[in-house]
């Protein structure tokens, strides 16, 4: 039994004022206090009959045990008195509200003493053990103690005392479970620590605005690198709090500013509040962030965005981020916020999360003549990874446009992103010196290739010719490029030129494009098919030049052992009758040309025959020649020889 109870409390107990049930409750109190040797206990034992009586620990009994204001006159004695409650509290014998509020007065007055060196850690441990039991008790004592702790935490006028209470609440796991409230009908209701209407009613005068104001004031307060009140309150966040922010967007903006101060001054993350969600799954603070003009702090906050954040809210955030980067002529590109967080926003991402605005932004900051030369390498590296290195999406990525997923297409790049086709050609022409090492060139090549035949509608004939020349120059500038770059881009250039070069009979250009196969083997099939389409075109009338070309390339086909001019066999096996009909319709003397044609074909046929035994390839060539001669001579009229 503690000295205080033995000396000052038990001798003053008044039994005559108690009912039998209360006296029995007092007897149990004395037994818990190990006070069975006292006169009071013996008096109860000798003069009471508790048969059929249930102990009733009423307010009257509680007042006799706990309400002794004079004990608080001396700080040390007051602390000893409170600690002496522990055996009773552990048995579920709690003080009444009046006694508890007197305790709160004592605690409030002595907060500075509790923080002094003379207050031992052992005593502190015992004191907060008392408070923890009271806070978690299903009694009328719970609310006053809980109110005291929360009020002290939120009272940043006395930062030292606030910090002291915060650290001990964290240390002793206070305010993490439930709190009890005595209702008007004397019943006790228990609530979880949740920021809802009950919480605001009990601790902030039923005033949400008052609570939010104090909450925002507290957010930036605390020791750097240490836990703060925020860590106590994080489990309290609720959909009700989110709904309040959603209904009050201006207050949500003040939360954003408080969070930025917290991150800057306390150097502490605040993801839980930033990613607070309503019952419907909305993120009111992220929505507020999306709807404001950004500063460096907003970049920092957006860098901590939740991966579950709806894409529509992410879209607005990314666009704000791009606007922030280009504000003030790109001054923010040199900021610490961009270096530390902005680069991560883009690099730790995928193209299908980003808005389409990223593409014109890329051209704006990475083009050699836009004035952002110091950042060209940074953004080329970032967007190369996003738009070029990830081949899972094909030629062009799927991105975000007006709140929806959007498959980027070549025509869209040319029409919308570049705003006009003349801009595309201007960009492209000024990028020529960089060759394919410049990712902008690689992206434009993908866009042109994806556009395909639409290029004929997007560009005038003069512009098409200009674009063909630009693409050819770029292709031949790849000789010093890596094998990977050439393998990806030469075939795309060849395909694009195939769409652009549709004029029949322009074999000089056809041969230039066909020759791209020599730059990279991945372009061989594309180039050969392109050449075949021009040299063997049923929809274009034959000319002496085109016929002559077929048989000139017979030599390439023969000497390369069928590796070059691979379309020659098709000409030999399908065009014999067509060539004969062409000569049959000529009014001029073409005999000399026919003799040369036949002699050339027979010459190669003879060579093949002489080598058939050593190489079966020559047997195949001679067989194809024989098909041609049979078809050609079979349909050729005799007069054509004259």
């Amino acid at each position: 039994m503690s000295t205080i109870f033995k000396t000052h409390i038990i001798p003053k107990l008044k039994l005559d004022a108690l009912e039998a049930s209360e006296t029995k409750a007092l007897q149990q109190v004395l037994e818990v206090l190990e006070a069975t040797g006292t006169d009071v206990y013996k008096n109860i034992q000798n003069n009471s009959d508790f048969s059929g009586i249930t102990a009733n620990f009423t307010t009257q009994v509680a007042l006799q045990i706990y309400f002794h204001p004079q004990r608080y006159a001396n700080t040390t004695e007051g602390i000893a008195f409170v600690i002496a409650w522990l055996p009773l509290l552990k048995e579920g014998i709690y003080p009444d509200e009046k006694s508890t509020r007197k305790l709160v007065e004592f605690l409030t007055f002595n907060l500075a003493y509790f923080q002094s060196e003379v207050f031992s850690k052992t005593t502190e441990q015992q004191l907060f053990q008392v408070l923890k039991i009271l806070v978690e008790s299903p009694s009328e004592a719970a609310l006053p103690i809980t109110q005291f702790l929360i009020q002290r935490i939120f009272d940043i006028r006395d930062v030292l005392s606030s910090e002291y209470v915060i650290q001990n609440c964290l240390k002793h796991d206070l305010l993490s479970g439930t709190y009890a409230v005595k209702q008007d009908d004397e019943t006790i209701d228990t609530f979880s620590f949740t920021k809802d209407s009950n919480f605001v009613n009990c601790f902030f005068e039923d005033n949400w605005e008052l609570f939010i104001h104090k909450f925002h004031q507290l957010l930036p307060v605390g020791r750097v690198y240490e836990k703060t009140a925020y860590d106590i309150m994080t489990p309290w966040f609720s959909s009700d709090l989110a709904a309040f922010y959603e209904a009050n967007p201006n207050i949500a903006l003040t939360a954003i500013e408080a969070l930025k101060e917290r991150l800057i001054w306390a150097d502490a993350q605040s993801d839980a509040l930033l990613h607070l969600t309503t019952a419907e799954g909305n993120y009111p603070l992220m929505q507020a962030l999306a709807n404001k003009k950004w500063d460096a702090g907003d970049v920092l906050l957006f860098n901590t965005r939740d991966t579950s954040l709806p894409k529509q809210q992410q879209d607005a955030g990314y666009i704000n981020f791009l606007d922030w980067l280009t504000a003030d002529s790109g001054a923010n590109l040199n900021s610490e916020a961009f270096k530390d967080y902005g680069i991560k926003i883009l690099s730790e991402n995928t193209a299908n999360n980003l808005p389409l605005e990223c593409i014109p932004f890329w051209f704006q900051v990475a083009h050699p003549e836009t004035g952002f030369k110091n950042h060209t390498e940074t953004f080329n590296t970032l967007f190369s990874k996003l738009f070029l290195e990830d081949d899972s999406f094909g030629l062009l990525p799927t991105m975000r446009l007006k709140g929806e997923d959007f498959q980027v297409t070549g025509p869209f790049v040319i029409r919308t992103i570049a705003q006009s086709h003349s801009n595309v050609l201007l960009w492209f022409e000024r990028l020529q010196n960089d060759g394919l090492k410049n990712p902008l060139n690689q992206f434009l090549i993908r866009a042109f290739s994806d556009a395909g035949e639409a290029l004929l509608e997007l560009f005038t004939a003069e512009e098409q010719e200009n674009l063909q020349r630009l693409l050819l120059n770029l292709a031949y500038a790849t000789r010093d490029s890596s094998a990977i770059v050439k393998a990806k881009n030469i075939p795309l250039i060849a395909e694009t030129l195939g769409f652009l070069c549709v004029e029949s009979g322009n074999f000089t250009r056809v041969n230039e494009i066909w020759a791209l196969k020599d730059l990279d083997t991945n372009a061989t099939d594309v180039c050969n098919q392109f050449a075949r389409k021009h040299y063997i075109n049923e929809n274009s009338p034959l000319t002496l030049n085109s016929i002559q070309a077929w048989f000139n390339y017979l030599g390439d086909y023969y000497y390369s052992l069928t590796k070059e001019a691979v379309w020659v066999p098709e000409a030999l096996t399908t065009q014999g009758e067509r060539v004969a009909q062409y000569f049959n319709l000529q009014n001029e003397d073409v005999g000399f040309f026919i003799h040369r044609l036949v002699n050339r074909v027979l010459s190669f046929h003879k060579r093949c025959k002489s080598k058939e035994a050593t190489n079966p390839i020559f047997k195949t060539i001679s067989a194809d020649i024989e098909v041609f001669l049979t078809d050609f001579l079979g349909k050729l009229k005799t007069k054509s020889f004259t």
Side-chain angles (χ1 to χ4, degrees):
M1 178 173 54
S2 73
T3 301
I4 288 182
F5 268 102
K6 181 179 180 180
T7 305
H8 299 289
I9 310 300
I10 294 176
K12 296 181 180 181
L13 295 175
K14 298 177 181 180
L15 300 180
D16 55 350
L18 302 178
E19 300 289 340
S21 59
E22 295 174 318
T23 302
K24 185 174 182 180
L26 186 58
Q27 180 189 38
Q28 293 177 356
V29 169
L30 294 172
E31 290 171 351
V32 172
L33 292 173
E34 299 180 349
T36 56
T38 62
D39 292 340
V40 174
Y41 185 83
K42 293 175 182 178
N43 187 9
I44 294 173
Q45 284 287 84
N46 295 331
N47 299 298
S48 302
D49 181 9
F50 297 132
S51 300
I53 294 176
T54 302
N56 185 12
F57 192 82
T58 62
T59 299
Q60 181 68 16
V61 177
L63 285 168
Q64 290 209 42
I65 299 299
Y66 292 109
F67 190 71
H68 298 277
Q70 64 275 22
R71 301 280 67 83
Y72 297 123
N74 178 278
T75 298
T76 304
E77 185 177 332
I79 294 170
F81 174 51
V82 175
I83 291 174
W85 297 3
L86 273 172
L88 297 173
L89 298 180
K90 290 178 179 179
E91 292 298 322
I93 301 172
Y94 306 115
D96 60 285
E97 184 176 350
K98 182 178 180 181
S99 300
T100 306
R101 294 200 179 280
K102 198 64 183 178
L103 168 61
V104 168
E105 290 180 15
F106 172 74
L107 295 172
T108 302
F109 184 78
N110 288 283
L111 270 175
Y113 176 82
F114 298 150
Q115 300 167 57
S116 67
E117 293 182 359
V118 298
F119 189 57
S120 72
K121 293 300 179 182
T122 300
T123 306
E124 180 182 79
Q125 171 74 23
Q126 293 173 323
L127 177 62
F128 276 93
Q129 188 178 0
V130 169
L131 299 184
K132 182 176 176 64
I133 293 174
L134 291 176
V135 167
E136 297 175 354
S137 69
S139 74
E140 61 188 75
L143 185 60
I145 298 298
T146 307
Q147 288 174 327
F148 160 74
L149 293 172
I150 291 178
Q151 287 168 3
R152 297 286 70 76
I153 287 172
F154 278 83
D155 186 6
I156 60 174
R157 295 171 300 176
D158 184 356
V159 176
L160 293 178
S161 294
S162 173
E163 179 66 18
Y164 175 78
V165 173
I166 288 168
Q167 294 306 318
N168 276 283
C169 283
L170 289 165
K171 180 179 179 181
H172 299 284
D173 195 27
L174 279 161
L175 310 181
S176 62
T178 60
Y179 61 95
V181 179
K182 182 181 177 181
Q183 304 295 349
D184 293 339
D185 61 0
E186 301 297 316
T187 60
I188 302 292
D189 286 341
T190 300
F191 303 101
S192 299
F193 279 102
T194 302
K195 291 184 177 180
D196 55 15
S197 57
N198 292 316
F199 181 90
V200 174
N201 180 47
C202 290
F203 305 113
F204 293 93
E205 305 172 17
D206 199 23
N207 187 330
W208 271 96
E209 285 78 8
L210 174 63
F211 159 64
I212 291 294
H213 174 70
K214 288 183 172 292
F215 175 49
H216 290 175
Q217 281 186 320
L218 187 61
L219 281 177
V221 178
R223 298 176 182 174
V224 178
Y225 306 125
E226 289 192 13
K227 290 187 175 182
T228 65
Y230 182 85
D231 298 279
I232 295 175
M233 293 183 285
T234 298
W236 303 353
F237 295 161
S238 66
S239 58
D240 285 7
L241 177 60
F244 180 83
Y245 280 127
E246 186 174 49
N248 298 274
N250 288 334
I251 294 179
L253 286 174
T254 65
I256 292 293
E257 296 308 310
L259 284 176
K260 286 191 288 189
E261 285 190 54
R262 171 176 167 76
L263 287 165
I264 293 170
W265 298 112
D267 195 28
Q269 296 296 317
S270 306
D271 300 5
L273 180 59
L274 187 65
H275 301 144
L276 195 66
T277 56
T278 66
E280 295 75 25
N282 299 325
Y283 289 68
L285 265 63
M286 292 303 296
Q287 185 63 51
L289 187 65
N291 292 334
K292 70 183 293 290
K293 184 177 180 179
W294 278 18
D295 57 28
D298 298 308
V299 175
L300 191 158
L301 289 181
F302 189 66
N303 183 57
T304 65
R305 64 198 176 282
D306 188 351
T307 55
S308 300
L309 182 68
K311 280 197 171 184
Q312 287 81 358
Q313 290 189 3
Q314 290 194 56
D315 294 344
Y318 285 121
I319 292 172
N320 282 348
F321 172 58
L322 296 179
D323 290 342
W324 175 78
L325 285 176
T326 55
D328 300 324
S329 301
N332 292 322
L333 292 169
N334 299 311
S335 67
E336 293 298 319
F338 173 65
K339 295 175 184 176
D340 294 341
Y341 307 106
I343 291 177
K344 290 175 62 179
I345 288 173
L346 294 174
S347 62
E348 297 177 3
N349 219 321
T350 57
N352 57 11
N353 286 328
L354 297 175
L356 200 64
E357 286 80 358
C358 283
I359 296 176
F361 168 80
W362 179 24
F363 276 96
Q364 179 182 355
V365 298
H367 194 283
E369 297 186 12
T370 55
F372 297 97
K373 292 182 179 179
N374 294 336
H375 306 285
T376 297
E377 183 177 352
T378 297
F379 284 103
N380 276 344
T381 300
L382 286 172
F383 288 115
S384 291
K385 179 179 180 297
L386 289 166
F387 301 148
L388 298 173
E389 293 179 11
D390 183 1
D391 288 331
S392 62
F393 48 69
L395 283 178
L396 295 170
T398 298
M399 299 182 71
R400 299 285 297 169
L401 176 65
K402 297 180 179 179
E404 301 290 340
D405 288 339
F406 179 81
Q407 174 60 58
V408 180
T409 64
F412 190 87
V413 170
I414 296 167
R415 289 177 178 143
T416 307
I417 296 177
Q419 297 179 348
S420 71
H421 53 261
S422 60
N423 280 342
V424 174
L425 294 181
L426 184 62
W427 281 340
F428 204 31
E429 185 173 356
R430 292 175 178 175
L431 288 168
Q432 290 298 294
N433 292 336
D434 289 347
L436 280 181
K437 68 181 180 182
N438 191 323
L440 292 177
N441 280 332
Q442 296 177 39
F443 185 79
L444 282 174
I445 287 168
R446 290 193 179 199
F448 292 141
S449 177
D450 183 80
E453 294 180 352
L455 294 171
L456 302 178
E457 300 175 2
L458 293 166
F459 296 99
T460 65
E462 182 180 351
E463 290 166 341
Q464 291 171 37
E465 173 62 26
N466 186 24
L467 183 55
Q468 287 185 54
R469 178 50 54 195
L470 291 172
L471 286 167
L472 282 167
N473 290 341
L474 192 59
Y476 283 102
T478 63
R479 296 184 185 278
D480 296 329
S481 300
S482 70
I484 294 176
V485 169
K486 288 194 287 188
K488 288 185 176 181
N489 289 278
I490 297 299
L492 296 181
I493 292 176
E495 287 181 0
T496 303
L497 288 167
F499 292 121
L500 289 167
C501 182
V502 294
E503 179 184 349
S504 62
N506 185 3
F507 289 105
T508 299
R509 176 57 49 80
V510 169
N511 290 341
E512 286 181 306
I513 298 171
W514 184 24
L516 295 181
K517 62 183 174 55
D518 297 326
L519 298 179
D520 188 85
T521 57
N522 293 282
T524 300
D525 289 342
V526 174
C527 292
N528 282 333
Q529 287 300 317
F530 166 77
R532 187 211 64 79
K533 184 174 71 172
H534 278 269
Y535 278 107
I536 308 174
N537 189 343
E538 298 285 350
N539 297 320
S540 298
L542 288 176
T543 65
L544 286 176
N545 287 337
S546 61
I547 295 171
Q548 185 177 19
W550 290 351
F551 298 103
N552 285 340
Y553 283 115
L554 175 57
D556 291 10
Y557 182 69
Y558 170 84
Y559 289 115
S560 69
L561 298 180
T562 71
K563 295 296 190 297
E564 298 291 338
V566 296
W567 45 268
V568 166
E570 184 177 353
L572 292 173
T573 57
T574 66
Q575 301 299 306
E577 293 186 3
R578 187 179 177 210
V579 173
Q581 294 295 344
Y582 169 80
F583 286 124
N584 289 339
L585 295 174
Q586 297 305 307
N587 295 322
E588 299 178 4
D589 182 9
V590 291
F592 175 76
F593 190 90
I594 294 174
H595 281 291
R596 290 192 61 185
L597 182 157
V598 173
N599 288 336
R600 182 172 177 80
V601 171
L602 289 174
S603 172
F604 279 104
H605 183 263
K606 182 178 179 181
R607 296 177 195 179
C608 290
K609 282 296 185 179
S610 67
K611 297 179 180 180
E612 284 183 359
T614 59
N615 192 330
I617 288 178
F618 295 113
K619 185 175 182 180
T620 301
I621 298 174
S622 65
D624 291 341
I625 291 174
E626 290 167 6
V627 171
F628 173 78
L629 290 173
T630 302
D631 293 343
F632 174 67
L633 296 175
K635 292 295 183 179
L636 186 67
K637 295 180 180 179
T638 306
K639 70 178 182 66
S640 299
F641 284 103
T642 61

